[in-house]
């Protein structure tokens, strides 16, 4: 087998000796190739030939010396690279009696006491129970639940007039609910492979709830009636329709006259109903048109917008406050009025959506630009209330250099539809643009009275405009506003001029001290001899020093004025 390469002796004798030694070693030690632990001899080590890989057991004393492989005659030095690395085992890892020899203490057999029982472990559960559910299945389950919830909300809320399901019958709603219930239930069960029973129960309950909703929520489930010409089986007995009647029948069928017929029946003879048939109206502009026409006409809350074919809408205005002809004129702002029918009370409009396009902002804001006035006038003549208000604000900050008559006319036209915001902006602009002889003060006064009756207040700018061009009806309103807030309205009252004197002197002898002192300051600005008499009379009946001083100062201010 292996031998050291000592000095002396002949080469051939050494080889023979080494072979004899190798055979002896092999016969004495049986090399095991399995992984069972061999009987251990502390004086022997396991080595491997680096060339052929043959394993041998040799003595420790050959470590570090040159040896020769008995199988391939390869010569190599016996070092750590030639040693066979033994697999390490730890106590309890393998049941092998040979491991006892590595114990630090002598091994003694252990037997459990009779009253103790060996621990027994349950069978390990399948690993699939602890693995997370794939994200794809989780997503499918979420989509299924969301679809059922959204369908339920649509069935509950979308049955109102003009809504998504308006005119969809109960049977068709049942089909929609059933389809959503089946698909949603399948998706929920698929997403819960470990709890399919529970998922199935949940899915069935959700599906049943969804299917029962059309039974309890029936609003808008009546099919919309589209009027059609009635044909008799015997055509010879029916008089031929005139071109007007034929055209009217086509219009009834085109617009779907059912909502108009219902609204007319409900309105009776006391209220009128006007239908606006808008063809080619983009959905993004439908809300703008509806809001404008309802505000301009003063129609009631029962009015509704009904979508028809794509980009076709029927707006039913209930109890409008303007005539059929005035409404047709307003509809011309969004396109061409191609047909009107007084009997059907329908105005047909071919909508031009280009009229709703935004205009360049630099043209709308740059006062030095020649198109500033033209573009802002076009904005006011549109139907977008937001853009109308913005144009009014811009014009209130500009001098009336161009198109004064057209601007004033459009502002007066906007007054009937003005809410508080628009009335404020109109008043600001009219303070700059109106000359008091164009009918604007009278128009603003009419609207101001209506607003005051309904809201019990008015914008400060409106009162300021009506006192700039005095309107007799504004002073009692201003007097009541001042009583409610003397500090807020004192400056406007004081600028209102001599017509306010008759109203303010009444408050010198009555009311709270803050009101009487404010009245004295107003008299100092607008009063005359009549105010001096009232102030002197008030001084005689009021002993309050602060009030006496206010009255005296007011008298001195009046007497100093020329």
């Amino acid at each position: 087998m292996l031998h050291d390469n000592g000095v002396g002796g002949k080469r051939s004798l050494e080889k023979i000796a080494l072979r004899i030694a190798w055979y002896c070693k092999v016969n004495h030690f049986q090399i095991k190739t399995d992984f069972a632990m061999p009987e251990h001899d502390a004086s022997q080590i396991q080595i491997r030939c680096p060339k052929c890989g043959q394993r041998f057991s040799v003595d420790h004393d050959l470590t570090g010396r040159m040896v020769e492989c008995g199988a391939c005659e390869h010569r190599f030095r016996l070092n750590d690279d030639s040693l066979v690395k033994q697999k390490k085992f730890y106590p309890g890892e393998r049941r092998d009696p040979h491991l006892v020899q590595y114990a630090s203490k002598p091994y003694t057999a252990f037997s459990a006491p009779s009253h103790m029982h060996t621990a027994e472990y349950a069978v390990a559960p399948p690993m699939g129970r602890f693995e997370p559910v794939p994200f794809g299945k989780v997503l499918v389950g979420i989509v299924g639940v969301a679809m059922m919830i959204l369908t339920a909300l649509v069935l509950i809320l979308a049955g109102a007039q003009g809504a998504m399901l308006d005119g969809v019958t109960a049977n068709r709603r049942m089909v929609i609910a059933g389809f959503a219930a089946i698909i949603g239930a399948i998706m929920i069960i698929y997403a819960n492979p470990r709890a399919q029973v529970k998922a199935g129960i949940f899915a069935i309950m959700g599906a049943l709830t969804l299917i029962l909703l059309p039974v309890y929520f029936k609003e808008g489930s009546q099919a919309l009636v589209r009027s059609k010409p009635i044909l008799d089986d015997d055509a010879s007995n029916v008089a031929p329709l005139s071109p007007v009647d034929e055209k009217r029948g086509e219009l009834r069928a085109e617009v779907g006259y059912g909502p108009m017929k219902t609204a007319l029946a409900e309105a009776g003879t006391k209220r009128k109903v006007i239908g606006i048939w808008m063809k080619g109206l983009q959905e993004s502009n439908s809300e703008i048109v509806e809001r404008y026409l309802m505000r301009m006409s003063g129609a009631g809350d029962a009015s509704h917008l009904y979508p028809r074919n794509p980009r076709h809408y029927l707006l039913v205005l209930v109890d409008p406050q303007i005539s059929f002809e005035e409404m047709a004129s307003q509809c011309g702002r969004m396109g061409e009025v191609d047909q009107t029918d007084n009997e059907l009370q329908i105005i047909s409009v071919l909508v031009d959506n280009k009229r709703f396009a935004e205009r360049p902002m630099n043209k709308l804001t740059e006062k030095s630009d020649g198109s500033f006035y033209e573009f802002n006038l076009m904005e006011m003549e549109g139907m977008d209330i937001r853009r109308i208000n913005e144009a009014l604000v811009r014009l209130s900050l500009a001098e009336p250099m161009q198109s004064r008559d057209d601007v004033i006319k459009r502002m007066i036209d906007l007054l009937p539809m003005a809410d508080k915001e628009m009335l404020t902006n109109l008043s600001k602009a009219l303070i700059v643009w109106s000359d008091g002889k164009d009918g604007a003060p009278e128009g603003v006064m009419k609207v101001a009275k209506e607003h005051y009756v309904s809201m019990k207040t008015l914008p400060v700018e409106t009162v300021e405009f009506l006192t700039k061009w005095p309107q007799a009806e504004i002073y009692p309103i201003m007097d009541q506003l001042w009583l409610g807030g003397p500090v807020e309205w004192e400056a406007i009252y004081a600028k209102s001029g001599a017509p306010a004197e008759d109203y303010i002197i009444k408050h010198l002898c009555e009311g709270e001290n803050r009101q009487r002192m404010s009245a004295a300051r107003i008299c100092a600005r607008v009063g005359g001899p009549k105010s001096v008499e009232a102030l002197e009379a008030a001084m005689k009946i009021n002993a309050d020093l602060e009030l006496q001083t206010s009255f005296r100062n007011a008298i001195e201010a009046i007497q100093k004025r020329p």
Side-chain angles (χ1 to χ4, degrees):
M1 177 208 166
L2 301 171
H3 205 280
D4 69 307
N5 193 13
V7 180
K10 293 183 179 180
R11 180 87 177 177
S12 59
L13 293 176
E14 291 179 353
K15 288 186 177 182
I16 294 171
L18 287 170
R19 289 180 182 277
I20 294 171
W22 176 73
Y23 283 114
C24 292
K25 296 286 185 182
V26 173
N27 293 329
H28 184 72
F29 295 102
Q30 183 179 359
I31 300 174
K32 296 182 178 180
T33 58
D34 59 5
F35 291 99
M37 178 66 72
E39 294 185 6
H40 182 71
D41 187 349
S43 63
Q44 299 288 312
I45 58 174
Q46 286 273 332
I47 66 172
R48 177 187 291 110
C49 174
K51 184 176 181 180
C52 66
Q54 182 64 47
R55 293 187 179 189
F56 306 98
S57 294
V58 299
D59 294 331
H60 279 286
D61 55 5
L62 293 179
T63 303
R65 304 176 68 176
M66 291 295 295
V67 296
E68 184 180 82
C69 176
C72 66
E73 299 184 354
H74 174 66
R75 298 174 67 82
F76 60 93
R77 185 174 297 279
L78 190 58
N79 52 27
D80 289 341
D81 294 336
S82 307
L83 294 176
V84 176
K85 301 297 188 293
Q86 299 292 331
K87 183 179 179 182
K88 293 183 178 181
F89 298 96
Y90 298 92
E93 187 177 18
R94 292 182 62 179
R95 290 188 178 183
D96 197 314
H98 296 289
L99 295 176
V100 176
Q101 58 185 312
Y102 297 105
S104 59
K105 295 181 180 180
Y107 174 76
T108 56
F110 174 79
S111 59
S114 59
H115 66 278
M116 296 180 64
H117 299 280
T118 304
E120 295 181 359
Y121 297 94
V123 178
M127 294 300 295
R129 293 180 57 185
F130 301 97
E131 294 178 355
V133 178
F135 176 73
K137 290 189 176 182
V138 175
L139 185 61
V140 169
I142 293 173
V143 172
V145 174
M147 181 176 67
M148 296 178 74
I149 293 175
L150 289 175
T151 305
L153 291 175
V154 169
L155 292 172
I156 294 172
L157 303 175
Q161 283 188 327
M164 185 188 304
L165 296 182
D166 185 25
V168 179
T169 61
N171 292 336
R172 292 186 178 180
R173 295 186 187 188
M174 193 76 71
V175 172
I176 296 172
F179 176 79
I182 293 173
I183 300 300
I186 292 173
M187 296 173 78
I188 292 171
I189 295 173
Y190 171 77
N192 292 272
R194 297 177 192 158
Q196 290 187 341
V197 175
K198 293 182 180 179
I201 295 173
F202 175 79
I204 291 172
M205 293 177 61
L208 290 175
T209 302
L210 201 60
I211 293 172
L212 290 175
L213 286 178
V215 178
Y216 293 97
F217 295 92
K218 299 180 180 180
E219 183 181 6
S221 61
Q222 293 78 21
L224 294 178
V225 179
R226 292 183 178 270
S227 301
K228 296 182 179 180
I230 301 176
L231 301 178
D232 199 300
D233 293 336
D234 186 3
S236 61
N237 296 330
V238 179
L241 295 174
S242 66
V244 174
D245 291 335
E246 185 176 353
K247 193 173 182 180
R248 181 172 293 148
E250 291 174 355
L251 181 62
R252 287 172 63 97
E254 182 183 12
V255 303
Y257 200 68
M260 277 291 296
K261 186 177 180 180
T262 302
L264 287 167
E266 293 176 353
T269 58
K270 296 181 179 180
R271 298 186 298 172
K272 60 182 177 181
V273 177
I274 299 177
I276 314 297
W277 175 236
M278 298 170 286
K279 297 177 289 186
L281 178 64
Q282 290 182 354
E283 184 179 359
S284 57
N285 298 326
S286 61
E287 185 178 352
I288 294 173
V289 173
E290 178 186 12
R291 184 183 178 195
Y292 177 86
L293 291 178
M294 289 188 66
R295 286 269 295 272
M296 176 58 73
S297 65
D301 295 336
S303 304
H304 286 285
L305 181 68
Y306 297 89
R308 288 295 183 257
N309 296 329
R311 302 179 68 171
H312 285 46
Y313 294 85
L314 174 64
L315 176 60
V316 178
L317 297 173
V318 179
D319 198 22
Q321 302 303 306
I322 62 177
S323 66
F324 185 81
E325 291 72 19
E326 290 174 325
M327 179 59 71
S329 175
Q330 292 295 331
C331 290
R333 298 185 182 278
M334 59 176 158
E336 178 187 356
V337 178
D338 61 347
Q339 187 176 353
T340 59
D341 194 304
N342 282 292
E343 181 175 329
L344 297 179
Q345 287 292 291
I346 291 289
I347 301 170
S348 177
V349 186
L350 186 60
V351 178
D352 181 7
N353 289 285
K354 293 180 181 179
R355 300 192 182 188
F356 298 90
E358 296 277 354
R359 293 175 176 83
M361 186 54 65
N362 61 325
K363 299 287 186 181
L364 293 171
T365 56
E366 186 56 50
K367 300 181 183 66
S368 60
D369 193 302
S371 56
F372 169 80
Y373 295 94
E374 177 186 357
F375 275 45
N376 278 286
L377 178 58
M378 292 170 65
E379 288 287 285
M380 285 199 303
E381 289 177 343
M383 304 184 80
D384 191 331
I385 294 177
R386 174 186 62 82
R387 289 162 59 182
I388 292 174
N389 278 311
E390 292 173 355
L392 288 170
V393 172
R394 288 190 290 265
L395 289 172
S396 69
L397 302 174
E399 293 294 328
M401 304 294 293
Q402 299 179 20
S403 308
R404 181 168 189 159
D405 292 341
D406 293 333
V407 170
I408 290 294
K409 182 178 183 304
R410 180 55 179 159
M411 289 181 180
I412 295 174
D413 290 342
L414 289 171
L415 283 170
M417 64 175 291
D419 58 1
K420 183 177 180 180
E421 179 186 5
M422 185 176 287
L423 183 59
T424 301
N425 294 329
L426 281 168
S427 300
K428 286 181 181 179
L430 287 170
I431 289 173
V432 177
W433 286 75
S434 176
D435 60 2
K437 301 176 183 179
D438 45 30
E442 293 79 8
V444 174
M445 188 67 248
K446 180 180 178 181
V447 174
K449 288 191 295 183
E450 296 173 356
H451 274 254
Y452 181 73
V453 170
S454 61
M455 298 187 299
K456 301 303 179 184
T457 186
L458 283 176
V460 173
E461 294 81 2
T462 302
V463 177
E464 184 178 356
F465 172 74
L466 292 174
T467 54
K468 179 182 179 181
W469 308 107
Q471 298 293 306
E473 294 171 294
I474 192 58
Y475 293 100
I477 296 176
M478 182 175 59
D479 189 63
Q480 293 300 314
L481 294 172
W482 172 82
L483 283 173
V487 176
E488 179 184 0
W489 291 96
E490 181 178 322
I492 302 297
Y493 213 145
K495 291 192 300 182
S496 60
E501 183 180 18
D502 291 336
Y503 294 93
I504 197 63
I505 59 177
K506 299 176 182 178
H507 303 291
L508 293 172
C509 298
E510 58 185 26
E512 301 176 359
N513 282 358
R514 65 186 183 96
Q515 293 173 333
R516 300 162 86 179
M517 292 172 65
S518 176
R521 290 191 293 268
I522 294 172
C523 286
R525 297 281 301 276
V526 304
K530 190 185 298 185
S531 294
V532 173
E533 295 177 3
L535 288 165
E536 290 175 347
M539 289 179 64
K540 295 178 182 179
I541 62 175
N542 289 287
D544 187 280
L545 293 179
E546 191 174 7
L547 283 175
Q548 291 276 342
T549 302
S550 297
F551 294 157
R552 190 177 299 108
N553 291 339
I555 293 172
E556 292 175 358
I558 295 171
Q559 292 174 344
K560 288 180 181 179
R561 289 205 312 270

